[in-house]
Amino acid sequence: MILIGAGFPRTGTMSLRVALNELGVGPCHHMAAVLMDKKQAPLWQAIVDGEEPDFEAIYASYQSTVDAPGCFYYKELMEKYPDAKVLLSVRDPERWYSSVKESIYLSYLMPRWMEWLPRIGPLSTIGPFLRLVRTMIWEGVFDKRFEDKAYAVSIFDDHIEEVKRVVPPERLLVFSVKEGWEPLCDFLDVPVPEERPFPHLNDNASTRKGYMQMRLFGHVAP
């Protein structure tokens, strides 16, 4: 593991995933991998349920991680991978909250029966994924109180301050995707890509569309 992403979802993590892959610091793990790979959700659910993390199995084919679930376990990952650097992606808290509520929070509003969709065939990853997101994020990190804006924003802000306090300064980059390639490349000691703009992906509209397709048609658009 080269890089541990400690930033919450909706802080530019999908753009970072693409950027890190382009910089050769990949493959980069992201919550999207949990949805697409049927082996992932059970491994993370076991951690939520109190079992010892099997990070070697989770990250067997990855060199970096951003977004959930890894961001919630950055301290454990730092212990497991003591040479890895830590990237804290940040965003204005008000804009972050609005973005989450209009996009990935829709997962919590899905009918609960969808968690028990057949575990074989093209729908096999949806049920475990929805259960994991509900138990880990909405009922775990946010204590079933995400709709309390002040509380949710306080969790977001407290996490940022904790990361800054816990991670040694020489091992940490606090980063906004608005800053582009230079700070990230300097931190990773890799060349800045020539004539390639920093990627900007995963806007709210496309995320909402994905959850609507999941709910109505039982699959997620590629």
Side-chain angles (χ1 to χ4, degrees), residues 2-219:
I2 296 173
L3 185 70
I4 299 164
F8 270 17
R10 305 308 299 177
T11 58
T13 51
M14 184 62 81
S15 298
L16 276 169
R17 181 194 191 196
V18 173
L20 291 169
N21 286 338
E22 289 189 15
L23 293 174
V25 191
C28 180
H29 190 275
H30 182 280
M31 182 59 95
V34 181
L35 177 59
M36 302 307 295
D37 182 352
K38 64 181 180 180
K39 298 177 182 178
Q40 285 278 325
L43 289 168
W44 285 107
Q45 190 66 56
I47 299 174
V48 176
D49 294 341
E51 296 183 21
E52 190 72 19
D54 189 353
F55 290 134
E56 290 185 5
I58 290 170
Y59 293 114
S61 59
Y62 296 94
Q63 291 195 96
S64 57
T65 178
V66 295
D67 201 79
C71 64
F72 305 129
Y73 296 91
Y74 75 93
K75 286 181 283 189
E76 292 87 344
L77 288 170
M78 287 175 64
E79 292 183 10
K80 176 68 175 177
Y81 305 104
D83 295 328
K85 296 183 176 182
V86 179
L87 174 65
L88 175 61
S89 49
V90 296
R91 186 179 186 181
D92 173 77
E94 295 286 329
R95 293 175 65 86
W96 167 81
Y97 181 81
S98 296
S99 177
V100 172
K101 191 169 184 181
E102 294 171 5
S103 58
I104 60 174
Y105 185 62
L106 296 175
S107 67
Y108 191 54
L109 306 179
M110 293 286 184
R112 191 61 55 82
W113 60 261
M114 291 189 68
E115 294 182 8
W116 305 105
L117 286 168
R119 304 302 171 91
I120 58 174
L123 306 182
S124 62
T125 62
I126 292 178
F129 174 81
L130 290 175
R131 178 171 179 254
L132 174 67
V133 172
R134 172 176 61 82
T135 56
M136 175 184 285
I137 302 178
W138 311 122
E139 296 180 358
V141 175
F142 294 104
D143 305 308
K144 303 182 183 179
R145 294 179 59 186
F146 182 79
E147 292 193 13
D148 180 344
K149 180 179 178 180
Y151 182 77
V153 169
S154 74
I155 295 294
F156 178 75
D157 287 338
D158 289 349
H159 177 79
I160 291 172
E161 294 308 311
E162 179 193 78
V163 174
K164 292 178 181 178
R165 185 174 63 252
V166 169
V167 183
E170 67 276 9
R171 196 175 172 185
L172 175 67
L173 174 65
V174 181
F175 178 75
S176 167
V177 292
K178 294 180 180 179
E179 298 177 77
W181 288 116
E182 284 76 11
L184 184 61
C185 292
D186 286 347
F187 182 62
L188 296 170
D189 194 25
V190 296
V192 174
E194 297 293 338
E195 300 180 357
R196 277 190 289 172
F198 193 89
H200 293 285
L201 304 171
N202 198 24
D203 62 1
N204 283 4
S206 62
T207 304
R208 286 196 300 270
K209 179 180 178 181
Y211 279 114
M212 286 299 294
Q213 289 179 323
M214 184 187 295
R215 183 166 187 167
L216 297 175
F217 305 112
H219 71 279

